[in-house]
Amino acid sequence: MAVTMAEKPLKDYVFEEMAFAFSGRIMDQVVIQVLERTPTIAYFGDSRAALRGGLFVFEQTGAVGILLSVGEVVRYVYASWLDFQRDSDRRVLHLLENQDCLMVRFFGSNFQQARIFVVENTLRDWLATARTRLAAMPPWTASHFAEAVSRAGICCGHANTLWRALQPGCRIIELDGLSRKC
């Protein structure tokens, strides 16, 4: 689970990477972008996309994990981690609170747009709570944030396991050593 930055150029993505970009002229909106192999995108068929998210707290550091799931027979899960201390990530969190839907743009092996989904933003209400908790925490460094993301990966494993762990009602996860509790 790699840490990604908002507004990262598409040419710098690696396969199976999800990140956020900004769109809109009058009023900014957040768009999710994913680089995936073209045959995998074709395999999505008529499936729908869905979002889940959680705030992972390790010591005095918070990492917001946003997950996107696509597929019915085989589920593909993509994760992106947002750092409240980084201005562009804080802006993403703020804008996500006000959007009803998000556009998800999949780019294929040739970096050309291959598929678009529109997904309901089921994270809106929870994000306000997460931002309030993050704002009350003392500042942390990029290395502390990377440690929190690493701990989330150790505790929850692969993105598919993380998807299952983020059931409704379990949105703030305290990471204590190698265990977790909601």
Side-chain angles (χ1 to χ4, degrees), residues 67-130:
L67 284 86
L68 169 73
S69 173
V70 180
E72 293 180 26
V73 177
V74 176
R75 178 182 304 157
Y76 294 88
V77 179
Y78 305 91
S80 185
W81 295 91
L82 299 173
D83 182 355
F84 188 74
Q85 298 298 319
R86 199 169 30 224
D87 289 338
S88 60
D89 289 2
R90 193 169 41 252
R91 183 173 169 217
V92 167
L93 291 170
H94 175 72
L95 291 171
L96 282 174
E97 282 181 52
N98 300 306
Q99 280 185 234
D100 293 325
C101 298
L102 289 115
M103 181 180 0
V104 180
R105 298 168 53 188
F106 276 88
F107 293 86
S109 305
N110 58 0
F111 292 94
Q112 297 297 313
Q113 185 170 291
R115 183 82 186 260
I116 295 177
F117 289 93
V118 175
V119 62
E120 179 184 0
N121 183 2
T122 56
L123 307 176
R124 286 178 64 176
D125 296 334
W126 165 78
L127 282 170
T129 303

Side-chain angles (χ1 to χ4, degrees), residues 152-178:
I154 291 169
C155 290
C156 298
H158 187 268
N160 281 314
T161 307
L162 187 57
W163 177 264
R164 289 189 296 276
L166 291 175
Q167 294 297 326
C170 184
R171 298 289 178 104
I172 298 178
I173 299 175
E174 303 286 342
L175 302 168
D176 179 25
L178 298 178

Side-chain angles (χ1 to χ4, degrees), residues 3-16:
V3 176
T4 58
M5 299 174 68
E7 298 190 278
K8 180 178 178 179
L10 185 64
K11 68 178 181 57
D12 294 336
Y13 285 29
V14 296
F15 285 119
E16 300 177 6

Side-chain angles (χ1 to χ4, degrees), residues 40-59:
T40 301
I41 296 170
Y43 189 72
F44 291 162
D46 292 332
S47 62
R48 296 177 185 229
L51 288 175
R52 287 189 184 165
L55 171 59
F56 294 82
V57 179
F58 178 68
E59 295 176 353

